[in-house]
Amino acid sequence: MALPKVPNPKVLVGIETADDAGVYQLTDDLAIVQTLDFITPIVDDPYAFGAIAAANAVSDIYAMGATPITALNIVTYPSAEVTPDLVATVLQGGYDKLTEAGVAVIGGHTVDNPALTYGLSVTGIVHPQQVITNAGAKPGDVLVLTKPLGTGAINHGIKQDRTPPELIAKATEVMMTLNKAAADAMREVGVHACTDVTGFGLLGHLHEMIVASQVGARVFASQVPLIDGVLDLIAQRIYPGGARSNKRYVDKFTFWHEEVPEPLRIALCDPQTSGGLLIAVPKERADLLLATLHQKGAQWSRVIGEIVAEPVGSIAVEP
Ligand code: CO
Ligand code: CO
Ligand code: CO
C-alpha cells in the first residue's frame, strides 16, 4: 500500500526506504525512533508467546542503533474462548521481556476480536548522527547475521504437530532472545548498515538493504547459521507458504549456485519471527565486531557474506 509522502525535514527515516522504524528529530542531539509490531500465537506456551512478541517488537528499535525506552501493549482476544488468566500470562511474558530490555510499559489497548494477537508499539531514542539505517552498506563490507534461521519452518511444524520437542525448545530460546546484546556490540564497534531479519526472510531483508544502499551482495550459504534440524523439516516439506512466496520473489534478483541444495535455498527465504540482526560492517572491523558480539552474548553470530559494488540489487548465493 503506497502512502502519500509528506516532506518534513524532521523525519530522518520515513516510510520510503523500507527501514525498520521511523526516526524523528526532536533536538540537535536527540531523535525518537518508533515502531509497531504484533503477531498471532506461534508457540503453545502463552508466557513464551508474550516474551517472543515483545522481543520481536523491540527488535526494530535495536536494528536502528537506538535505545528502546517505552512501549504500549496491543492486545486482541476472543473473550468467549480465551480466559483473562491466559491473556494475563501473555502480558506477563511481554512485561518481563521488556523489563529485561530496560523498557517501561506505560499503557496499551485491548479489543475483543476473533483472533488472539499480541504486540507492542515501542519508542526508542538515538542521537540523530548515530542512526543506523539499512541504506549505508558499502562495497567490501562484511555481512554478519546474529541469530540462526529456521523459526518459520519450525513454527509451521508446530501448527501441524510435526516439530520435534527439542526443535520447539531451541526455536523458542532463539525467538525469546533480545537483539540487545547484538545492538550494543554493533554500536560499540561502529557499522555501516543494519536491519533485522523478519517476515521476508534473510534474502528478502538483505535485498531491502542492498537496494537502499545501491550495492549488491554475495552470501556463502554454508556459513549461514541455521537452527539444528531445520533442514530436515524443510526436506519433509514442512515450511510456511511465506517461505515459498518469499523465494518466488527473491528468485528474480538472486543467482543461485547450482550446488546450493533446495532445502537450504528455502531456509534462506524462511520468514522469521524475532530474527537476528543483519549487519554490514567495514572489513577491517569485522573481526572486532564478531569478538564483541560473542563477548556480549550474541553467541550465534556468524559472517555470512559480503557487499559488492554490482550488480546493484542482486544477490549471488554461493555454496
Ligand atoms: Co525490522
Ligand atoms: Co517490524
Ligand atoms: Co535499520
Side-chain angles (χ1 to χ4, degrees):
M1 179 178 58
L3 296 172
K5 288 181 193 168
V6 183
N8 183 334
K10 295 199 155 125
V11 176
L12 304 183
V13 178
I15 53 186
E16 304 83 25
T17 50
D19 217 319
D20 299 293
V23 183
Y24 186 92
Q25 184 158 0
L26 294 175
T27 66
D28 283 350
D29 50 16
L30 187 65
I32 54 166
V33 184
Q34 295 184 292
T35 183
L36 182 163
D37 232 309
F38 58 99
I39 57 176
T40 54
I42 38 180
V43 292
D44 294 329
D45 173 358
Y47 182 89
F49 167 54
I52 291 166
N56 184 62
V58 74
S59 174
D60 281 326
I61 302 291
Y62 291 128
M64 302 304 289
T67 302
I69 51 167
T70 59
L72 304 169
N73 285 318
I74 304 151
V75 188
T76 76
Y77 74 101
S79 57
E81 294 159 44
V82 170
T83 65
D85 268 6
L86 185 139
V87 176
T89 306
V90 170
L91 289 172
Q92 188 68 48
Y95 180 85
D96 290 350
K97 187 50 67 179
L98 289 156
T99 302
E100 180 189 336
V103 174
V105 180
I106 55 173
H109 191 68
T110 304
V111 173
D112 201 330
N113 180 66
L116 173 64
T117 62
Y118 172 54
L120 303 110
S121 173
V122 186
T123 297
I125 52 172
V126 68
H127 191 287
Q129 259 90 58
Q130 280 158 13
V131 177
I132 302 169
T133 70
N134 63 5
K138 304 263 189 305
D141 283 356
V142 169
L143 288 168
V144 172
L145 178 65
T146 68
K147 282 189 189 182
L149 303 177
T151 59
I154 291 166
N155 296 339
H156 188 74
I158 291 173
K159 292 191 188 106
Q160 299 185 342
D161 261 333
R162 292 172 73 191
T163 299
E166 64 275 13
L167 238 65
I168 298 177
K170 188 69 193 180
T172 302
E173 182 200 349
V174 169
M175 292 187 289
M176 283 177 67
T177 299
L178 290 169
N179 282 328
K180 180 177 192 300
D184 287 346
M186 78 167 173
R187 286 191 300 191
E188 189 174 307
V189 171
V191 305
H192 279 162
C194 178
T195 190
D196 60 345
V197 177
T198 52
F200 299 134
L202 172 66
L203 297 187
H205 290 283
L206 175 57
H207 185 244
E208 288 179 338
M209 178 186 282
I210 62 177
V211 167
S213 304
Q214 287 296 290
V215 292
R218 290 169 71 200
V219 169
F220 314 124
S222 59
Q223 305 297 310
V224 176
L226 302 175
I227 296 173
D228 279 342
V230 77
L231 287 180
D232 296 335
L233 279 192
I234 293 174
Q236 296 168 60
R237 301 195 165 276
I238 301 170
Y239 53 85
R244 175 62 62 195
S245 56
N246 282 347
K247 183 167 179 302
R248 260 200 306 274
Y249 178 69
V250 309
D251 277 345
K252 294 175 193 164
F253 49 79
T254 301
F255 300 98
W256 300 99
H257 191 288
E258 58 185 16
E259 280 166 34
V260 179
E262 185 65 15
L264 184 50
R265 297 184 190 198
I266 299 280
L268 300 185
C269 301
D270 188 44
Q272 302 301 286
T273 299
S274 190
L277 300 184
L278 173 65
I279 302 167
V281 61
K283 196 183 190 103
E284 64 274 15
R285 290 206 290 271
D287 287 344
L288 177 62
L289 177 64
L290 254 302
T292 310
L293 283 164
H294 284 264
Q295 177 225 323
K296 289 190 185 291
Q299 77 271 26
W300 298 297
S301 303
R302 296 266 287 272
V303 169
I304 62 145
E306 64 184 13
I307 297 291
V308 295
E310 50 191 18
V312 170
S314 290
I315 301 171
V317 180
E318 287 159 28

